[in-house]
Amino acid sequence: MGVRAASTPVSWPAVSTTGFAPTVADVVAALDRRYPPAWAEEWDRVGLVLGEPTNPVRRIACVVDVVPETVDEALAAGADLIVAHHPLLLRGVSSVAATTYKGRIVHRLIKSDVALYVAHTNADVADPGVSDALAARFGLTGLRPLHRPRPGSPADAPGRGIGRIGELPAPMTLAELARHAAAVLPVTAWGVRAAGDPRRMVRTLAVSGGSGDSFLAEATAAGVDAFLTADLRHHPAGEHLAAGGPALLDAAHWATERPWLDDLAAQLRDELGVETVVSDLDTDPWTVHAAAPRPDDKEPRP
């Protein structure tokens, strides 16, 4: 995974050593209330991953990915707890030995007495959740879920679901929207690419943080003009467009989920009175982008 530092240096305030500090258990309880683990998909692994429940928490680091570089950042900030979106241990393991990549991360966190908590698909489906923060970057109004939870499931309730559909403040062409998306989303080498007629007018937009090509049929059924997500694949995207589906915008996975960290940090700060820091470390694996020249003028594409 390629990791790049934030564009500007981060200056951390000093950690407070006075006053009441919630415990790891207190923070877990607050997060579980907002993002109940029962809302997560069956295959997902969320909640407290490691950490002593009785330890005090004065500063929390919010990250998309738990990688050595974001752990470095959290430790430098004096964080007592990391809240991550992506699970560190999604699949079963038989060892967390320090000879393995993930084992080294686990050992370092335990030795540093730093707890780790994950909110993944339970944060995706929440209202507000990951895609609400993404929708806010585009000023979407009249929000409704793109993919509703299974009827009768713990997450099934009005307003909840993965992805959001809304109205843009003003119509724009697909080409304009792609440029706008690149401007309002966190900067990555991947940027934003679009599929469809560049002149197509877009009024209604569906967004889904993270991998979203499993929701192409739902975007079509919703009648939106365009769908922005990440990790779109060649064949599903091509067949979707050939069938008359909405235009597509493909952004970097990290960039579509990073906006939620600001909401998460504000929630923890307001509810628990802890200091929070948000990682702007770009953990998207793609680190170089080179656009092909146009056949007519040999100038790079915008």
Side-chain angles (χ1 to χ4, degrees), residues 81-102:
L81 169 66
I82 295 173
V83 179
H85 185 49
H86 291 150
L88 174 64
L89 303 173
L90 180 59
R91 296 176 177 82
V93 297
S94 59
S95 169
V96 288
T99 53
T100 65
Y101 172 78
K102 292 186 177 182

Side-chain angles (χ1 to χ4, degrees), residues 15-288:
V15 177
S16 172
T17 57
T18 61
F20 169 78
T23 64
V24 168
D26 293 329
V27 179
V28 168
L31 287 163
D32 283 354
R33 285 192 297 270
R34 190 174 182 95
Y35 310 114
W39 292 0
E41 297 289 333
E42 291 183 0
W43 51 263
D44 205 2
R45 298 294 180 266
V46 300
L48 184 65
V49 179
L50 54 89
E52 173 54 56
T54 59
N55 280 0
V57 177
R58 295 184 175 86
R59 179 172 293 159
I60 298 173
C62 302
V63 308
V64 173
D65 294 293
V66 185
V67 295
E69 293 83 0
T70 55
V71 171
D72 287 344
E73 198 175 50
L75 296 183
D80 304 299
L81 169 66
I82 295 173
V83 179
H85 185 49
H86 291 150
L88 174 64
L89 303 173
L90 180 59
R91 296 176 177 82
V93 297
S94 59
S95 169
V96 288
T99 53
T100 65
Y101 172 78
K102 292 186 177 182
R104 284 191 291 274
I105 293 174
V106 169
H107 277 252
R108 189 169 186 212
L109 290 174
I110 291 175
K111 287 180 177 179
S112 302
D113 215 9
V114 174
L116 172 62
Y117 181 97
V118 169
H120 191 212
T121 53
N122 49 330
D124 289 331
V125 78
D127 178 25
V130 172
S131 289
D132 292 281
L134 179 57
R137 292 289 178 113
F138 294 89
L140 299 185
T141 57
L143 296 182
R144 64 187 191 276
L146 172 64
H147 172 76
R148 291 294 308 276
R150 176 177 50 82
S153 68
D156 184 24
R160 292 188 199 138
I162 294 176
R164 292 293 182 266
I165 297 169
E167 299 280 335
L168 288 166
M172 59 182 73
T173 66
L174 177 60
E176 291 170 337
L177 179 58
R179 290 191 290 270
H180 180 64
V184 300
L185 291 176
V187 176
T188 60
W190 181 268
V192 178
R193 59 182 182 176
D197 183 350
R199 298 164 298 180
R200 178 172 181 166
M201 294 303 300
V202 179
R203 296 173 177 81
T204 56
L205 176 65
V207 298
S208 184
S211 302
D213 66 4
S214 60
F215 308 125
L216 291 174
E218 283 159 298
T220 299
V224 298
D225 299 314
F227 176 35
L228 181 143
T229 187
D231 302 337
L232 290 174
R233 294 172 294 160
H234 176 89
H235 292 294
E239 292 169 10
H240 163 88
L241 293 172
L248 300 174
L249 296 104
D250 187 33
H253 192 122
W254 173 83
T256 63
E257 295 175 328
R258 161 60 184 84
W260 170 69
L261 298 183
D262 294 324
D263 292 353
L264 171 68
Q267 169 219 341
L268 294 169
R269 187 169 56 248
D270 295 344
E271 183 174 347
L272 299 171
V274 296
E275 293 180 354
T276 56
V277 293
V278 173
S279 175
D280 277 319
L281 203 66
D282 176 4
T283 54
D284 193 65
W286 308 105
T287 57
V288 177

